[in-house]
């Protein structure tokens, strides 16, 4: 069981985490952040296993992972 | 729950000004993690290039120097020769290292300067707006190769690891990419080797990271990752080109 | 007639082309015109602004120290340029990314939720054209028609497929003013 | 007459060069002049010319040297740090007496500085940033139209004097878009080049060198080069004047700053201040004689630059104490506004003509940024 | 006091540097300064310092930049073409506000030129051969003893103002042998360097850069730099005068030319001509105030250089029309002889003081070569 | 009797200013002979270096250009690109080509500029008085390596043919010496190949000639010849490193 | 049967030809040339076979060979 | 006392060290002295000359426009410098390489077959010391003893084995004058 925190202000909406999450736990949000980017959003359906793949691949080091 | 992934201490807690999907960010994180893990932050001097990563000095919590375009290996030489016990690394783009800075990297390598070179090959000049780099692929469009790079006019893409490996002073040369968790893990190992070699006084280590530039390639971040895997890796094979550790 | 406008936002918002379209339209209407960009250090995500000066006379300074109008697409540079707009000048404000509470009150102000409006048309990237429509309609510096006619001239041919979208955005902006 | 088209200064200089039969361009990217190599990469092949992105500015200037050796009109372009790297090459080209054109789209310095407009490479351009007694024939366009026209002028000067010529532009003139008129054909004057090293076929060998190991020989070459500069100083002085006849104060500025000064001048006249504008177009040769004349006529001067004070030295040398030369400069990419310059003009007038002018309050309308 | 030993200027500057705690040298061979890296390669290791022959002058200046960043007194040396290659690096060092010393043993130019003595890199040194508004703190030794002493002076200036300093020498001063006295210990002043990038241990990180992307920031840095130059202009002006009090004509010359002028002056005095000598030691800051004062006292000037006329511009700017400034120069490695300068002084006196002087025949004893 | 050996036409009939026993002279003659034999003298442009052979332009009866130190490949590129049907060669020393001119030769090679490069490796800076060159042997005395070159301080000797051969644009790279009639014959064949390749449009060809510098080595001419054979050839093996002709 | 001509003014006395001549037909002369060098001298004992080795090896291209 | 001498020849003749030895000797005798070289472009075979000025007063110009003495070791530079020697000056001529017929007659002339004399001692390379011996003995600028004492100071230690040869050559030159 895991959980991630996406730091919205660091996120640039590149969708890399969305693509790489093996559990499809991340989606793009509808909101803009202050830079005008859609940021990504943790779905938190309980399937996240804290594998850190999203965090490892995030170019902006915007994700923290808990397990 | 326990935090199992967080920003390395050596990476400042600010937003980096790279484009969405630019792997400069991953490379930064890996270097910062290695510095953290080796416990050398307070002993490290980073030399920044001119290129998109010119602002590395704003993102790294260690002492840093901004070098003139291409001259980072010479600056690093000046630092390391004067302070042999400091950890000195350069971080350079393909324009910086493989074009204007060719003489400086070749001679730092030939001299076996005991430094670690982080080389970001994104096959383009990112910062100046997408001109051809020495590593731009044949056929690749850039703002100075309209219609795609043609070797008759613009020469061949340059393979830096292959060029430098034969030089006596090179301890380690590896090409990695940043396009998957496995590749990122390999990249980190290579970076760690490059720093460890320096601590061990082995000579110059270089890690070439195939990197994305979605903006100047004119593709989405994901397509940029695919381009590295499918196109760049074919011409720039991943692997360790030299390792004095055997 | 002499109009100085600064358009400002972040990289990727299409600030530059918005100004270039205005400049082109002004040229086709026989005016003197200068467009001048100013880039932030980063290719994307950095700041971006440009100045357009349209005049019936020859233009001296291509730099505007005190613009008649500021088109603000993003909070950051808006904060920077707002103070130098002439007293009684005009502010065209993208409220999707600028807090209305931060806007000067001694100017004519037009509030435009440009990102939202652009998304309504189908692409947030057309927010710049919404703003340009508002600008042109509210200043009358050039006609909306000249602007529309300039689109195919200014867009590079590989982006001509985007012209219809941009046209709608421009019209939407213009209509907003005309009511 | 050609049609009016909207163009960047950096694009115009490319079209101007190609119209002037430039057939070789070697460059390296640097902001704010990237459009020059970029347009060149498109346009040169269309006219059968050579475009090559060099590995560095140093390589680029030496490729230009090679192309110039074979008699081809060749050009390179860069911005401040990149121009510094060309200094050795430029000195060689001047020493070997070869024609070529170098464009500097100046940016903020020193060092990496920034990419904003500046005029702080004036000394480098006109005094000799490289070693030895050479000069660059230097011209300073102030509009997109002139970016086009100065290309041919620069090549003509270069060929006429077998000496490198520089177009000293800046981030404003290079980056701004203006409508320009492109003539159907450009007047340009390419002399025969019997000295070119095109292969010693049917003639004795040609040697192009700047090495003269015997001082007497090198002095002779230097005197020849100095004689060319003396000739250019008689024939190639270019400037523009605006309302200087009745002016008490003459603003002296070149390039984009001159445009801003022109706006300040118009403002000043509206306020009844007798301000004129003198705009050197050729920076070397500098229009010293005319400035000296104006000084003798009693004009006072205010030199305005985006620098800490460089051209002002040439103004002072020209005026030679006959009247007053004030200076106002902004640094590091800051661009002076028209009102700011107007304020300075007021101050100068007040000081120089305390009886006629008591300007008192400044004209600035808003404090910040000015 | 140390013993008298016979030494070349190029060797003396090495000993001077090492005595001044210089602990890093990076250079590249070029005549006529090869003795500098050669002696350094021997001496540096003896004091535990760094000697490295770089792959080029560009690499050398950037190595110096690196060494300066970590607070070490670092030096490079070259001659004219090699100095031109350092222009970008020098501008960076000035922009990042770092101290270091650059030695230029000038030779004939432009281009490859020759290896004979010249002074044609004056503009490059004092006006800014690189881009942007920076200056080199420039001093000009005229003897082997001064080559030794100026090393410490240059390092002190560099450290005091966090700015590169240049020793502007030439093939005569660099190559000649003279007896010098080496003191047992050299006075030198090395300040603390808390800005040095030696590793962020026990303090927050240090960043050394010349990049200030926001024009306001870069202007602020530039103003700071200009303020340093203003301070140096008050405090660091150095010159030497010989018999100027009663002189009608003051020769103005620096470096080896000043020595030759001194002989001419002695000859002139023997012939009853009231000739003095003014020798700027600091070229930037230039001793303008004193020259202006001398001009007000009615002195006339004859500037003598091995160039087409470079320092003479600074003399004219200082004198600002108050009196006459003549110029005599030799080019391309030619060295003016004492009698030749005497002749010129005679001509100047005759023209300036037609009543007191009718020199008529020249003093030259043999025509050729003079 | 018939004249069976005489000066080539392309070599001027003047005394060359090289020291006694300096093989610059042999190299000059071979290049001149090849130009004669290919009949291209009137079509040839030579680019001279800065180094002892700076005066090549006084000795060759073809058009010549004196390039700045290290920049001959860039100058040659400018010439060749503008006049592709001319024969363009550079003649460069080891300081010129392998130190200051590293970037220019590497990139001319990588671009595959269709030129011929004559590279004189005498392991020293001849003209400036015997300082270390990038190719100076370990242990070799020079005026800037008192006590002999030590790799820890002054780096390793650089092998230029090995460095350049991997580059795509290189058509031909060979190392020869000039120390015996057989070696001279091989050298001439290599030079001829380098010129013929250019006529055939094959790309960049480089011939590295191990050469003597009795003066700066401080030995007699004969001992200098022996030093090349016995010491230099061990570190710089003779042979063809690349040949696109197969 | 061969013969060589050593152009004394071009010769620098390096002795390379002396060393390489398989027939030992060349010796160093006692005279100085105008540059102050001892030049080499053809012995002409009739043993020269015109093999051109001397000329091929002469760094100063000072030798002409006849056969 | 003020003596200016130019010594000239070709590379490899030891012109520079000859001047340096004189300079050193003058220094040990407490004189002001300057030595200044001028090299030809080539390391060997090119031209070489140096100027030495010895004076009881401080020395201004280190360059001699009109030397008191010319020591000529080779025809080429001898031709160049001979015309600037002061009328009534002194010419010391190496007749092994300079044609006596080309020598000015309005000066004191000393003819020295220096190469031959040096070969007699055992090495033509000592011709420079023969000339120096002649120079010192005929001008008296410094004593022969000072010159002899300077040899070990000026020669680098690895060349000290050559000192006896050079001493003999110096003495031979000096004796030639003293007769
Ligand atoms: C001397 C000099 N030349 C050119 C430039 C302009 N410039 C800045 S970054 C850059 C290249 C950037 O490309 P690269 O090194 O590949 O880095 P990237 O931006 O792709 O990460 C250039 C040419 C400069 N700053 N200085
Ligand atoms: C920019 C520059 N730096 C340095 C020099 C001085 N220089 C002249 S020749 C030379 C090196 C000569 O060595 P090499 O290239 O090996 O040729 P060689 O004389 O050995 O044949 C140097 C450093 C110069 N002329 N220009
Ligand atoms: S930690 Fe793993 S499972 Fe959880 S969101 Fe990230 S990638 Fe998906
Ligand atoms: S990878 Fe990082 S920056 Fe990209 S969308 Fe995910 S959280 Fe945002
Ligand atoms: S331009 Fe390219 S390299 Fe630069 S930040 Fe953007 S994506 Fe990264
Ligand atoms: S110094 Fe060396 S390379 Fe130069 S000519 Fe003499 S022997 Fe040849
Ligand atoms: S031709 Fe042969 S045999 Fe005759 S002298 Fe020359 S080397 Fe000797
Ligand atoms: S090889 Fe040539 S230069 Fe040498 S001694 Fe023989 S002829 Fe003379
Ligand atoms: Mg890149
Ligand atoms: Mg060499």
């Amino acid at each position: 069981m895991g959980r991630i925190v996406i730091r919205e202000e660091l996120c640039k909406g590149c969708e890399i985490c969305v693509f790489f999450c093996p559990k499809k736990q991340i989606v793009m949000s509808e909101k803009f952040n202050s830079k005008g980017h859609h940021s990504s959003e943790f779905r938190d359906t309980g399937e996240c296993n804290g594998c850190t793949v999203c965090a490892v691949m995030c170019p902006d080091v915007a994700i923290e992972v808990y397990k | 729950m326990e935090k199992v992934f967080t920003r390395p201490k050596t990476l400042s807690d600010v937003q980096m000004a790279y484009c969405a999907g630019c792997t400069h960010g991953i490379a930064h994180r890996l270097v910062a993690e290695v510095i953290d893990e080796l416990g050398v932050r307070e002993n490290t001097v980073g030399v920044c290039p001119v290129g998109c990563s010119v602002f590395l000095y704003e993102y790294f919590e260690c002492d840093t120097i901004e070098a003139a375009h291409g001259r980072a290996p010479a600056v690093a030489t000046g630092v390391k020769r004067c302070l042999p016990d400091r950890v000195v690394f350069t971080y350079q783009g393909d324009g910086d290292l493989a074009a204007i800075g060719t003489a400086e990297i070749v001679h730092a390598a030939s001299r076996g300067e005991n430094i670690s070179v982080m080389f970001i090959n994104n096959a383009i000049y990112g910062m100046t707006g997408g001109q051809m780099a020495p590593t731009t692929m044949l056929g690749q469009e850039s703002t100075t190769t309209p219609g795609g790079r043609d070797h008759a006019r613009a020469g061949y893409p340059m393979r830096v690891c292959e060029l430098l490996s034969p030089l006596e002073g090179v301890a380690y040369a590896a090409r990695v990419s940043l396009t998957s968790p496995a590749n990122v893990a390999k990249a980190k190992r290579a970076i760690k080797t490059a720093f460890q070699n320096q601590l061990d006084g082995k000579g110059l280590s270089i890690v070439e990271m195939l990197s994305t530039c979605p903006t100047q390639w004119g593709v989405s971040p994901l397509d940029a990752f695919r381009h590295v895997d499918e196109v760049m890796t074919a011409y720039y094979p991943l692997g360790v080109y030299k390792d004095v550790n055997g | 007639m002499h109009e100085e406008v600064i358009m400002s936002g972040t990289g990727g918002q299409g600030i530059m082309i918005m100004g270039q379209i205005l400049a082109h339209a002004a040229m086709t209407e026989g005016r003197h015109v200068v467009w001048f960009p100013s880039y932030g250090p980063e290719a994307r995500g950095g700041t971006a602004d440009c100045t357009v000066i349209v005049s019936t006379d020859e233009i001296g300074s291509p730099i505007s120290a005190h613009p008649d109008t500021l088109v603000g697409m993003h909070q950051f540079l808006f904060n920077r340029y707002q103070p130098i707009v002439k007293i009684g000048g005009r502010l065209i404000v993208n409220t999707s990314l600028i807090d209305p509470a931060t806007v000067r009150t001694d100017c004519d102000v037009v509030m435009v939720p440009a990102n939202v409006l652009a998304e309504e048309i189908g692409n947030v990237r057309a927010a710049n054209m919404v703003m340009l429509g508002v600008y042109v309609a509210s200043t009358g510096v050039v006609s909306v028609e000249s602007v529309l006619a300039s689109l195919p001239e200014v867009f590079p041919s590989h982006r001509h497929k985007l012209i219809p979208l941009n046209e709608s955005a421009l019209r939407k902006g213009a209509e907003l003013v005309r009511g | 007459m050609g049609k009016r088209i909207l163009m960047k200064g950096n694009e115009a200089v490319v079209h101007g060069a190609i119209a002037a039969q430039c057939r070789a361009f070697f460059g390296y990217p640097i902001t704010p002049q990237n459009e020059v190599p970029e347009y060149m990469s498109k346009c040169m092949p269309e006219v059968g010319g050579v475009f090559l992105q060099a590995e560095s500015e140093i390589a680029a200037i030496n490729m230009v040297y090679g192309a110039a050796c074979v008699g081809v009109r060749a050009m390179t372009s860069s911005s401040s740090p990149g121009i510094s790297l060309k200094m050795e090459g430029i000195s060689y080209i001047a020493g070997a007496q070869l024609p070529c054109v170098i464009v500097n789209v100046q940016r903020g310095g020193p060092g990496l500085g920034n990419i904003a407009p500046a005029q702080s490479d004036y000394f480098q351009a006109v005094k000799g940033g490289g070693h030895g007694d050479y000069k660059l024939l230097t011209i300073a366009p102030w509009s997109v139209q002139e970016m086009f026209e100065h290309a041919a002028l620069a090549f003509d000067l270069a060929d006429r004097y077998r000496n490198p010529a520089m177009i000293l532009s800046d981030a404003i003139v290079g980056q701004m878009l203006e409508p320009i008129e492109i003539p159907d054909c450009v007047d340009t004057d390419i002399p025969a080049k019997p000295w070119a090293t095109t292969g010693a076929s049917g003639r004795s060998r040609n040697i192009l060198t700047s090495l003269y190991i015997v001082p007497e020989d090198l002095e002779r070459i230097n005197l020849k080069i100095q004689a060319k500069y003396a000739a250019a100083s008689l024939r190639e002085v270019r400037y523009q004047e605006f309302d200087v006849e009745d002016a008490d104060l003459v603003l002296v500025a070149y390039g984009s700053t001159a445009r801003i000064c022109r706006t300040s001048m118009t403002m000043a006249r509206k306020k009844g201040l007798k301000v004129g504008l003198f705009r050197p177009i050729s920076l070397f040769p500098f229009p010293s004689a005319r400035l000296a004349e104006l000084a003798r006529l009693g004009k006072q001067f205010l030199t305005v630059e985006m620098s800490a004070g460089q051209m002002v030295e040439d103004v002072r040398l020209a005026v030679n104490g006959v009247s007053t030369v004030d200076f106002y400069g902004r640094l590091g990419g800051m661009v002076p506004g028209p009102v700011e310059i107007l304020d300075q003009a007021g101050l100068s007038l007040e000081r120089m003509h305390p009886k006629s002018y008591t300007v008192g309050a400044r004209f600035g309308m808003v404090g910040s940024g000015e």
Side-chain angles (χ1 to χ4, degrees), chain A, chain B, chain C, chain D:
Chain A
M1 251 287 291
R3 186 169 63 79
I4 68 168
V5 175
I6 298 172
R7 296 176 57 191
E8 195 186 293
E9 286 310 299
L10 296 184
C11 171
K12 298 201 187 107
C14 69
E15 308 192 20
I16 295 295
C17 54
V18 176
F19 177 81
F20 277 101
C21 171
K23 301 290 174 188
K24 299 296 156 216
Q25 292 299 292
I26 315 179
V27 292
M28 295 314 292
S29 123
E30 287 299 295
K31 294 181 299 185
F32 298 100
N33 68 12
S34 73
K35 295 267 171 185
H37 295 296
H38 289 288
S39 74
S40 65
E41 230 172 27
F42 184 44
R43 278 171 72 206
D44 210 359
T45 63
E47 283 170 72
C48 169
N49 56 12
C51 67
T52 77
V53 159
C54 54
V56 162
M57 296 309 296
C58 173
D60 282 278
V61 203
I63 304 180
E64 288 172 349
V65 185
Y66 296 83
K67 197 170 168 177
Chain B
M1 276 195 278
E2 204 192 330
K3 222 187 224 181
V4 292
F5 188 101
T6 189
R7 266 177 114 79
K9 291 227 165 47
T10 296
L11 201 64
S12 312
D13 198 21
V14 297
Q15 197 193 33
M16 294 184 277
Y18 301 111
C19 307
C22 174
T23 46
H24 267 306
I26 301 184
H28 277 31
R29 195 198 83 226
L30 296 181
V31 175
E33 282 180 0
V34 165
I35 291 172
D36 279 5
E37 290 169 18
L38 296 172
V40 295
R41 187 187 67 79
E42 298 194 336
N43 213 24
T44 294
V45 182
V47 184
C48 316
V50 182
C52 282
S53 48
V54 66
F55 290 114
L56 181 142
Y57 63 69
E58 296 196 345
Y59 309 141
F60 271 61
E61 291 295 325
C62 61
D63 278 5
T64 42
I65 298 167
E66 163 50 31
H69 191 33
R71 317 304 175 196
V75 173
T77 297
V79 172
K80 185 74 183 184
R81 293 270 172 153
C82 289
L83 298 178
D85 64 343
R86 301 306 196 282
V87 175
V88 182
F89 74 94
T90 72
Y91 185 106
Q92 306 180 253
D94 43 4
D96 195 79
L97 181 142
I100 194 169
T102 306
E104 285 74 16
I105 189 64
V106 165
H107 283 274
S110 184
R111 285 193 304 265
E113 292 299 336
N114 190 27
I115 59 172
S116 309
V117 176
M118 305 293 111
F119 170 43
I120 302 294
N121 177 359
N122 60 10
I124 200 86
Y125 285 18
M127 176 170 245
T128 43
Q131 297 82 11
M132 180 188 78
T135 52
T136 294
M137 307 289 298
L138 289 180
Q140 184 181 335
E141 285 257 4
S142 78
T143 55
T144 50
T145 54
R149 183 178 191 169
D150 163 17
H151 71 81
R153 275 202 179 125
Y156 295 90
M158 190 181 284
R159 295 188 181 98
V160 168
C161 277
E162 288 85 332
L163 182 72
L164 297 181
S165 294
L167 294 169
E168 297 272 352
V170 173
Y172 180 76
R175 184 180 290 124
V176 299
S177 84
L178 304 166
T179 49
S180 70
N183 283 338
V184 170
K186 274 189 214 149
K188 183 164 167 192
R189 276 199 298 281
I191 294 168
K192 200 154 186 179
T193 307
F195 276 78
Q196 188 61 51
N197 282 345
Q198 184 177 164
L199 295 173
D200 299 343
K202 297 249 166 94
L204 186 137
S205 299
I206 177 166
V207 181
E208 173 173 349
M209 300 174 228
L210 301 184
S211 198
T212 60
C213 181
T215 302
Q216 308 301 359
W217 296 353
V219 300
S220 74
L222 268 173
D223 285 344
F225 275 60
R226 282 191 200 106
H227 178 81
V228 171
D229 283 342
E230 289 159 17
V231 180
M232 284 180 72
T233 313
Y235 187 85
Y236 297 113
L238 305 184
V240 175
Y241 286 82
K242 185 164 188 183
D243 190 348
V244 288
N245 306 302
Chain C
M1 196 279 291
H2 186 91
E3 157 81 4
E4 307 189 356
V5 54
I6 290 182
M7 299 172 165
S8 73
T10 60
Q13 284 190 313
I15 301 291
M16 300 304 176
I17 198 142
M18 169 165 53
Q20 287 176 7
I21 290 165
L22 171 61
H24 192 274
M27 177 181 74
T28 60
E29 293 192 4
R31 298 288 158 88
H32 293 274
V33 63
V34 179
W35 170 96
F36 179 71
S38 142
Y39 293 94
E42 308 92 13
R44 279 277 169 89
T47 63
D49 64 85
C50 67
T51 303
V52 182
I53 303 181
V54 180
S55 184
T56 38
D57 300 321
E58 259 187 69
I59 298 169
S61 170
I63 302 290
S64 180
H66 300 297
D68 302 287
T69 308
L70 173 64
V71 176
M73 292 279 287
H74 184 277
Q75 189 81 52
F76 185 77
L77 277 190
F78 181 77
N79 292 349
R80 177 159 169 193
Y81 285 116
Q82 168 169 255
I84 66 165
V85 174
K86 277 190 186 149
I87 295 166
R90 187 181 271 111
L91 301 171
I92 301 181
V93 181
N94 178 8
T95 52
S96 305
L97 293 169
I98 296 172
D99 180 356
T102 62
V103 178
R104 258 170 71 176
T105 51
D106 57 353
C107 291
D108 281 356
V109 180
V110 193
M111 299 287 190
V112 190
N115 289 29
V116 177
L117 294 174
E119 292 229 317
E120 282 174 22
I121 301 168
N123 194 334
V124 66
R125 302 199 137 221
N128 59 345
M129 291 299 128
V130 174
M131 295 291 278
L132 183 59
V134 171
Y135 170 77
V136 169
S138 54
T139 58
V141 171
V142 293
S143 70
V144 177
E145 288 63 44
S146 304
V147 174
L148 291 173
S150 291
L151 289 183
E153 303 289 319
V154 178
F155 276 116
S157 47
H158 68 273
R159 288 175 65 195
H160 276 189
K161 56 180 186 294
L162 295 175
I163 290 179
L165 169 74
N166 282 290
E167 275 184 13
S168 325
L170 266 164
R171 287 222 167 79
K172 185 148 196 163
E175 279 154 23
L176 208 72
V177 179
R178 293 185 188 137
Chain D
M1 253 309 166
K3 58 172 181 166
R4 267 176 104 217
I5 41 179
L6 204 59
M7 207 178 258
K8 275 196 177 185
N10 285 341
E11 187 178 358
V13 80
V14 171
H15 289 299
I18 287 179
Q21 307 296 322
C22 171
R23 286 299 175 269
F25 178 88
F26 305 93
Y28 187 79
I30 185 168
T31 311
Q33 65 81 57
N34 290 313
E35 296 83 0
V36 181
E38 287 171 2
Y39 290 125
M40 278 289 184
S41 74
K42 286 193 203 76
C43 301
M44 260 307 170
E46 286 167 13
V47 296
V50 173
F51 166 81
L52 187 62
Q53 183 178 319
E55 62 271 27
S56 71
E57 290 85 353
I58 292 183
I61 191 71
N62 285 286
M63 290 171 183
V64 164
Y65 178 85
C69 283
V70 299
V72 170
R73 283 194 157 179
M75 173 166 144
T76 187
S77 155
S78 189
S79 177
S80 311
I83 297 288
S84 289
L85 287 170
K86 293 182 196 286
M87 284 303 129
E88 190 207 23
I90 288 174
S91 176
Y92 269 73
I93 293 173
Q97 302 194 66
L98 294 168
C100 74
V101 172
I102 301 136
V103 180
N104 182 359
V105 183
Q106 294 171 91
R107 57 186 252 180
L112 190 46
N114 61 26
I115 57 176
Q119 298 183 309
S120 49
D121 304 347
Y122 176 93
F123 277 147
Q124 185 189 57
V126 308
K127 300 291 168 192
H131 60 286
D133 282 299
Y134 76 89
K135 298 276 187 189
L136 287 171
L137 299 160
T138 305
I139 49 180
W142 76 340
S143 66
V144 175
Q145 186 72 42
E146 280 192 353
M147 281 290 265
F148 179 89
E149 289 164 5
H150 281 193
L153 174 57
F155 274 112
D156 284 358
L157 288 171
D159 274 343
R160 198 170 304 148
Y161 297 94
R162 282 187 62 183
N163 197 76
M166 172 166 277
I167 298 177
L168 190 67
S169 169
D170 64 53
I172 294 179
V173 178
Q175 291 291 328
M176 73 187 182
L177 277 171
E178 276 185 323
I180 72 162
E181 312 230 0
I182 296 205
D184 296 329
C185 115
V186 162
D187 250 10
T188 188
D189 187 23
I190 310 187
K193 301 183 178 179
W195 44 263
T197 52
T198 52
S201 170
R203 56 160 171 76
S204 61
R205 65 181 176 179
N206 282 337
I207 298 171
L208 289 170
T209 183
S210 61
L211 173 63
Y212 295 91
I213 205 72
V214 178
E216 281 81 356
D217 295 341
L218 187 58
E219 183 171 63
R220 207 171 305 121
I221 291 293
N222 265 288
L223 289 172
K224 197 169 151 190
I225 290 173
Q226 293 298 322
K228 295 193 302 187
Y229 298 154
S233 297
L234 289 178
R235 287 194 233 122
E236 311 295 353
V237 171
R238 288 172 172 83
Y239 58 86
Q240 227 179 345
E241 295 180 345
F242 300 89
D243 291 358
V244 297
E245 300 76 29
D246 70 333
D248 291 324
L249 179 74
V250 176
L251 303 175
V252 187
Y254 73 95
S256 52
T257 306
R259 280 179 78 128
I260 304 172
C261 283
R262 197 169 160 197
T263 300
S264 311
M265 185 192 92
T266 312
M267 290 173 168
R269 287 283 171 174
K270 279 197 193 129
K271 296 190 188 284
L273 311 183
K274 288 191 178 162
V275 172
L277 170 62
F278 184 90
R279 174 197 165 220
I281 295 173
S282 59
L283 301 181
F284 179 82
F286 193 72
S288 305
R290 177 59 181 159
L291 279 170
E293 199 177 325
L294 291 175
R296 278 193 299 276
L297 294 172
K299 314 292 176 196
Q300 315 285 337
F301 302 92
L302 170 61
T303 305
V304 184
E305 296 175 63
M306 294 189 286
S307 87
Q310 301 196 5
M311 183 179 71
V312 66
E313 289 200 357
D314 279 334
V315 177
R316 292 209 168 107
L317 284 166
V319 168
N320 199 27
V322 170
S323 82
T324 321
V325 180
D326 276 354
F327 173 72
Y328 184 66
R330 292 302 295 268
L331 299 169
M334 291 300 289
V335 178
V339 177
E340 183 181 353
I341 295 170
L342 178 57
D343 282 352
Q344 292 299 322
L347 285 171
S348 289
L349 278 168
E350 216 169 6
R351 191 152 26 91
M352 294 164 174
H353 301 273
K355 295 210 183 91
S356 334
Y357 294 98
T358 45
V359 176
R362 302 277 70 77
F363 304 111
M365 292 145 75
V366 187
S368 84
E370 287 247 314

